[in-house]
Amino acid sequence: MNADPEDPAFRTWLRTLSEALDTDPEDALASRAALTFLWSAFAENGAMPPSHFAPLLAAHRQAHAEQAVTALLTQVQAETGRRFEAPVRHSPPTERDPEGTVHVGPEPVQGIAPSDIHTEAAEGLQCLLADRDRLIWPLCPDHRVALHATSTASGAVWVCSVGGHTVRGIV
Protein backbone atom coordinates (compact mmCIF):
# COMPACT_ATOMS: atom_id res chain seq x y z
CA MET A 1 0.00 0.00 0.00
CA ASN A 2 1.31 3.48 -0.90
CA ALA A 3 1.88 6.01 1.83
CA ASP A 4 -1.15 8.23 2.29
CA PRO A 5 -0.31 11.18 4.53
CA GLU A 6 -3.98 12.16 4.65
CA ASP A 7 -5.27 8.78 5.87
CA PRO A 8 -7.42 9.65 8.93
CA ALA A 9 -6.18 6.73 11.05
CA PHE A 10 -2.55 7.60 10.20
CA ARG A 11 -3.08 11.27 11.11
CA THR A 12 -4.75 10.31 14.40
CA TRP A 13 -1.80 8.04 15.22
CA LEU A 14 0.67 10.84 14.43
CA ARG A 15 -1.20 13.20 16.76
CA THR A 16 -1.10 10.55 19.50
CA LEU A 17 2.67 10.25 19.01
CA SER A 18 3.19 14.01 19.12
CA GLU A 19 1.26 14.26 22.40
CA ALA A 20 3.37 11.58 24.08
CA LEU A 21 6.81 12.22 22.57
CA ASP A 22 9.04 15.28 22.32
CA THR A 23 8.86 15.09 18.53
CA ASP A 24 5.99 16.12 16.30
CA PRO A 25 6.02 13.57 13.47
CA GLU A 26 3.62 15.69 11.43
CA ASP A 27 6.38 18.29 11.04
CA ALA A 28 8.46 15.70 9.17
CA LEU A 29 5.84 14.76 6.58
CA ALA A 30 7.28 17.15 3.98
CA SER A 31 10.20 14.72 3.68
CA ARG A 32 9.38 11.76 1.45
CA ALA A 33 11.86 9.60 3.37
CA ALA A 34 10.31 10.54 6.74
CA LEU A 35 6.82 9.87 5.40
CA THR A 36 7.98 6.49 4.12
CA PHE A 37 9.47 5.62 7.52
CA LEU A 38 6.39 6.71 9.45
CA TRP A 39 3.95 5.07 7.04
CA SER A 40 5.94 1.83 7.07
CA ALA A 41 5.84 1.73 10.88
CA PHE A 42 2.09 2.40 10.77
CA ALA A 43 1.36 -0.09 7.98
CA GLU A 44 3.37 -2.88 9.62
CA ASN A 45 2.23 -2.30 13.21
CA GLY A 46 -1.00 -0.34 13.10
CA ALA A 47 -1.58 2.53 15.49
CA MET A 48 0.92 1.19 18.00
CA PRO A 49 1.30 3.11 21.24
CA PRO A 50 4.11 5.67 21.48
CA SER A 51 6.05 3.38 23.83
CA HIS A 52 6.22 0.77 21.05
CA PHE A 53 7.08 3.30 18.34
CA ALA A 54 9.86 5.02 20.34
CA PRO A 55 12.42 2.18 19.93
CA LEU A 56 11.80 2.21 16.16
CA LEU A 57 12.37 5.96 16.08
CA ALA A 58 15.54 5.67 18.18
CA ALA A 59 16.92 2.94 15.89
CA HIS A 60 16.04 5.04 12.82
CA ARG A 61 17.89 8.05 14.23
CA GLN A 62 20.87 5.99 15.28
CA ALA A 63 21.21 4.29 11.89
CA HIS A 64 21.07 7.56 9.95
CA ALA A 65 23.41 9.33 12.38
CA GLU A 66 25.95 6.50 12.11
CA GLN A 67 25.70 6.60 8.31
CA ALA A 68 26.35 10.34 8.31
CA VAL A 69 29.25 10.17 10.78
CA THR A 70 30.94 7.37 8.85
CA ALA A 71 30.72 9.35 5.59
CA LEU A 72 31.83 12.57 7.27
CA LEU A 73 34.84 10.99 8.97
CA THR A 74 35.93 9.63 5.58
CA GLN A 75 35.70 13.18 4.20
CA VAL A 76 37.63 14.62 7.15
CA GLN A 77 40.43 12.13 6.64
CA ALA A 78 40.57 12.77 2.89
CA GLU A 79 40.72 16.54 3.40
CA THR A 80 43.01 16.73 6.43
CA GLY A 81 45.05 13.54 6.28
CA ARG A 82 44.06 12.94 9.91
CA ARG A 83 41.93 10.12 11.28
CA PHE A 84 39.38 10.85 13.97
CA GLU A 85 36.83 8.87 15.90
CA ALA A 86 33.41 10.16 16.78
CA PRO A 87 31.05 7.72 18.42
CA VAL A 88 27.32 7.99 17.99
CA ARG A 89 26.07 7.68 21.56
CA HIS A 90 22.62 6.36 22.20
CA SER A 91 20.43 5.23 25.03
CA PRO A 92 17.11 3.43 24.72
CA PRO A 93 13.75 4.98 25.55
CA THR A 94 12.87 5.08 29.24
CA GLU A 95 9.97 6.40 31.26
CA ARG A 96 11.92 9.63 31.92
CA ASP A 97 13.10 9.90 28.31
CA PRO A 98 10.35 8.36 26.17
CA GLU A 99 12.22 8.76 22.88
CA GLY A 100 15.65 7.65 24.07
CA THR A 101 18.62 9.73 23.03
CA VAL A 102 21.06 9.82 20.16
CA HIS A 103 24.03 12.19 20.31
CA VAL A 104 26.93 13.00 18.03
CA GLY A 105 29.45 14.93 20.06
CA PRO A 106 27.52 17.38 22.23
CA GLU A 107 24.58 17.63 19.84
CA PRO A 108 21.34 15.67 20.16
CA VAL A 109 19.89 14.05 17.07
CA GLN A 110 16.15 14.70 17.13
CA GLY A 111 15.01 14.66 13.51
CA ILE A 112 12.92 12.11 11.70
CA ALA A 113 13.78 13.07 8.12
CA PRO A 114 17.19 11.67 7.11
CA SER A 115 18.29 15.14 5.94
CA ASP A 116 17.53 16.55 9.41
CA ILE A 117 19.37 13.67 11.10
CA HIS A 118 22.37 14.11 8.77
CA THR A 119 22.40 17.85 9.49
CA GLU A 120 22.30 17.30 13.26
CA ALA A 121 25.01 14.63 13.05
CA ALA A 122 27.19 16.97 10.97
CA GLU A 123 26.73 19.76 13.52
CA GLY A 124 27.65 17.39 16.32
CA LEU A 125 30.75 16.14 14.54
CA GLN A 126 31.78 19.68 13.66
CA CYS A 127 31.44 20.78 17.31
CA LEU A 128 33.27 17.71 18.57
CA LEU A 129 36.20 18.25 16.19
CA ALA A 130 36.40 21.94 17.13
CA ASP A 131 36.14 21.43 20.89
CA ARG A 132 38.13 18.24 21.30
CA ASP A 133 40.64 18.40 18.45
CA ARG A 134 40.81 22.14 17.72
CA LEU A 135 39.97 21.45 14.08
CA ILE A 136 37.71 23.81 12.16
CA TRP A 137 36.17 21.67 9.45
CA PRO A 138 34.92 21.87 6.78
CA LEU A 139 36.03 25.16 5.28
CA CYS A 140 34.58 27.11 2.38
CA PRO A 141 37.10 26.84 -0.47
CA ASP A 142 36.35 30.45 -1.50
CA HIS A 143 36.30 32.21 1.88
CA ARG A 144 38.30 29.84 4.13
CA VAL A 145 35.65 30.04 6.88
CA ALA A 146 33.72 27.26 8.56
CA LEU A 147 30.68 25.89 6.79
CA HIS A 148 27.29 25.56 8.46
CA ALA A 149 25.24 22.35 8.27
CA THR A 150 21.78 23.06 6.88
CA SER A 151 18.79 20.89 6.06
CA THR A 152 17.08 21.87 2.81
CA ALA A 153 14.30 20.41 0.69
CA SER A 154 16.97 18.77 -1.45
CA GLY A 155 18.88 17.29 1.50
CA ALA A 156 21.55 18.09 4.06
CA VAL A 157 24.16 20.55 2.78
CA TRP A 158 27.15 22.57 3.92
CA VAL A 159 26.54 26.32 3.49
CA CYS A 160 29.19 29.05 3.63
CA SER A 161 28.75 31.12 6.76
CA VAL A 162 30.02 34.24 4.97
CA GLY A 163 28.69 33.99 1.41
CA GLY A 164 25.55 31.99 2.15
CA HIS A 165 26.18 29.72 -0.85
CA THR A 166 25.84 25.94 -0.78
CA VAL A 167 29.27 24.34 -1.00
CA ARG A 168 28.33 20.65 -1.11
CA GLY A 169 26.10 17.94 0.23
CA ILE A 170 26.79 16.54 3.68
CA VAL A 171 26.33 12.88 2.84
Side-chain angles (χ1 to χ4, degrees), residues 73-150:
L73 288 174
T74 299
Q75 292 173 20
V76 171
Q77 184 176 2
E79 293 173 21
T80 68
R82 297 169 60 190
R83 178 173 290 203
F84 297 96
E85 290 187 19
V88 175
R89 298 182 332 274
H90 57 91
S91 59
T94 64
E95 191 172 309
R96 285 189 71 203
D97 189 3
E99 288 183 29
T101 60
V102 176
H103 280 83
V104 176
E107 300 295 319
V109 174
Q110 299 172 315
I112 295 176
S115 63
D116 293 337
I117 296 169
H118 294 164
T119 299
E120 293 163 347
E123 289 174 345
L125 178 63
Q126 191 176 45
C127 288
L128 180 66
L129 293 175
D131 294 344
R132 182 190 68 192
D133 302 303
R134 304 292 182 233
L135 174 67
I136 304 301
W137 178 90
L139 297 176
C140 174
D142 297 332
H143 300 102
R144 304 303 298 163
V145 297
L147 298 176
H148 178 70
T150 305

Side-chain angles (χ1 to χ4, degrees), residues 36-48:
T36 299
F37 164 69
L38 292 165
W39 183 263
S40 175
F42 177 74
E44 292 173 15
N45 302 287
M48 69 183 119

